[in-house]
Amino acid sequence: MARGIRVAVVHGPGPAHRDGVGDYVERLVGALGGAGVDAVGVPVGTPDTRSPRQWLPATLAAARRVRRLRPDVVHVQFAPSAYRFSGLPGLLPPLLPAGTPLVTTLHEYGWWAAPGWVPDAVWWPLERARLWDRETGRLVPASALVVVTNAAHARQVHGRIGTPAVEVPLAPNVVDHGGGARARARVRRELGVRPGDPLLAFFGFVHPVKGVRQLVEALPALRSGRPGLRLLVVGGFTSQALPEAEARAFRAELEALAARHGVADTVTFTGHLPASRVSELLHAADAGVLPFTAGVTTKSGALLTMLAHGLPVAVTVPDEPDPALPLGEAVAVIRARRDAAAVARAVGALLDDPDLRRRMGGAARRLAARHSWPEVATAHRALYETLTGPRPDLPRRLRTLCEALTGPRGDLSHRLRSSYADPRRDLPGHDG
């Protein structure tokens, strides 16, 4: 094995149970350890960091800690919500150790600006000159490598900054803990679900953009002819994006909505649960439902979690469908967003066809097998080695890794090893 690499993973202050990026960082750091990378998490601020006055000292303190670590690579995990929509963490690059490669992973991109009142005509020349990015400040322009989790973000980065980004797919938030048949029987007994009665599951942070309102509104139609149907809403409400007071209000709204539609006894809101319990509940379900108001892609760790449990899932589709998500094969399609009747039709068809559920469950597991934490860690290690190894022809080697990561899915780690070993290969069609 090549020499050890030390990486400072800079991230927002949100704990894993309240922040999707925080959860990702916790799992990534653990997986990198298994891949022989010494990854050290460096939070910017604390969970109490909220006011604008606190973000500058928090950013300075994080930079000081990074300098003390003397890492081989600094890897910043970026999402506006992870830093509570402060632009100040975008000032990190000049504060970091000189000469140390910077990598930035974009978990959210393409919809925000700091400050928001600056017109596009001002941003464009700054971005094309790689002086400043409207969302990430100096992070993306100063990065030796930009990592994205989906092709749409890669296109946006290239369009703005003029440089290719490397796509490293996400992995499930919760892996399959096993014992599926036993867990299914036990959980259904605990919930009082009779044999043959359908059990639906939603999983993930319960936010207004997740379409849970429409899912609750679909329940009366779904219970027609299926009086024993139950719904588990598995996940917490409070997060970086939905503070505690707003989360309480939204939960009360959903509970009142369920009561108004006469389905209060049908819905169970579990709140945040340990991963092992989430796995048990997903094994107990007959189908998953993710009716996101913007549509679902493989960028969703919640979707990947359901697929990893072999669960057939009904999903809404974004305006630009994800080519990595085979609609109608691994997932059932809800034909309209923000539409309770469309949710009822898609989920009802899934519940009425056991053969379809079995086929989709098998396809779900096959798709999820391409998204694993060991694969993600292997991809990251290869990127770090590219930045810390011999440096002649670095742009060509980075383009080669782009090809390995964004080509047709398969044995990702094998393709990474092969492409990294042969830097003569090149990516067509990229100008960076």
Side-chain angles (χ1 to χ4, degrees):
M1 180 178 286
R3 71 175 183 85
I5 299 173
R6 168 167 275 205
V7 179
V9 182
V10 181
H11 58 92
H17 69 282
R18 290 195 171 186
D19 180 39
V21 177
D23 179 78
Y24 173 91
V25 170
E26 184 177 279
R27 296 176 191 281
L28 176 63
V29 167
L32 286 172
V37 175
D38 179 17
V40 181
V42 180
V44 179
T46 70
D48 296 325
T49 304
R50 295 184 183 278
S51 91
R53 293 191 307 273
Q54 294 174 303
W55 282 106
L56 181 57
T59 301
L60 295 173
R64 285 194 298 272
R65 186 176 176 203
V66 170
R67 291 196 298 270
R68 288 195 299 270
L69 287 171
R70 301 178 61 131
D72 299 297
V73 177
V74 179
H75 192 163
V76 177
Q77 306 290 327
F78 178 82
S81 60
Y83 303 100
R84 294 197 171 94
F85 300 95
S86 170
L88 289 172
L91 300 176
L92 270 170
L95 306 172
L96 299 173
T100 302
L102 172 64
V103 177
T104 298
T105 290
L106 301 174
H107 295 271
E108 301 171 18
Y109 197 69
W111 62 275
W112 184 67
W117 50 264
V118 175
D120 286 350
V122 174
W123 289 124
W124 283 118
L126 294 173
E127 289 166 340
R128 294 304 289 181
R130 299 195 66 172
L131 296 174
W132 197 265
D133 173 43
R134 70 189 73 185
E135 296 188 54
T136 69
R138 281 293 299 156
L139 287 172
V140 165
S143 290
L145 183 63
V146 177
V147 177
V148 295
T149 62
N150 60 92
H153 286 172
R155 290 193 296 272
Q156 289 166 328
V157 171
H158 191 272
R160 279 192 192 173
I161 310 298
T163 187
V166 176
E167 182 185 349
V168 178
L170 291 176
N173 298 119
V174 176
V175 299
D176 187 347
H177 282 58
R182 292 191 302 276
R184 177 180 174 85
R186 182 174 63 254
V187 169
R188 291 173 76 92
R189 282 197 306 271
E190 292 171 2
L191 296 174
V193 178
R194 297 172 302 185
D197 283 346
L199 180 62
L200 301 175
F202 167 95
F203 171 61
F205 284 113
V206 188
H207 291 169
V209 297
K210 299 296 184 70
V212 182
R213 291 187 183 101
Q214 289 75 33
L215 177 52
V216 170
E217 291 170 345
L219 290 176
L222 285 168
R223 287 189 69 182
S224 176
R226 309 177 192 89
L229 179 140
R230 299 280 296 277
L231 168 65
L232 295 174
V233 178
V234 183
F237 284 73
T238 304
S239 71
Q240 293 286 92
L242 197 68
E244 191 164 351
E246 295 176 37
R248 284 198 303 269
F250 185 54
R251 178 165 184 159
E253 177 192 330
L254 290 180
E255 290 172 342
L257 183 66
R260 192 159 64 248
H261 284 275
V263 293
D265 60 340
T266 299
V267 187
T268 300
F269 296 101
T270 71
H272 174 76
L273 294 172
S276 58
R277 181 59 173 171
V278 171
S279 186
E280 288 180 342
L281 295 180
L282 295 181
H283 278 305
D286 297 294
V289 192
L290 295 176
F292 296 178
T293 58
V296 177
T297 70
T298 50
K299 183 179 176 293
S300 167
L303 172 66
L304 296 175
T305 294
M306 287 183 157
L307 299 180
H309 286 77
L311 199 60
V313 187
V315 304
T316 47
V317 180
D319 291 334
E320 293 186 29
D322 181 355
L325 184 61
L327 302 175
E329 179 184 338
V331 293
V333 176
I334 300 170
R335 295 293 174 185
R337 303 193 294 266
R338 296 185 176 89
D339 187 325
V343 173
R345 285 192 295 271
V347 175
L350 198 53
L351 292 177
D352 291 342
D353 192 337
D355 290 336
L356 176 62
R357 294 203 305 275
R358 279 193 291 272
R359 290 196 304 273
M360 281 195 169
R365 285 194 182 278
R366 290 191 293 275
L367 177 58
R370 305 171 194 168
H371 297 259
S372 72
W373 284 108
E375 290 276 273
V376 169
T378 297
H380 279 80
R381 179 176 179 107
L383 297 176
Y384 300 150
E385 288 174 341
T386 299
L387 294 172
T388 58
R391 301 188 67 88
D393 203 23
L394 177 60
R396 182 183 296 270
R397 294 167 71 200
L398 290 181
R399 291 197 301 270
T400 300
L401 284 171
C402 286
E403 182 182 60
L405 285 158
T406 59
R409 301 296 185 227
D411 184 350
L412 176 61
S413 61
H414 172 74
R415 289 187 287 108
L416 276 166
R417 288 193 296 271
S418 299
S419 63
Y420 183 68
D422 182 6
R424 294 170 298 178
R425 293 173 60 201
D426 203 353
L427 263 181
H430 284 299
D431 59 11

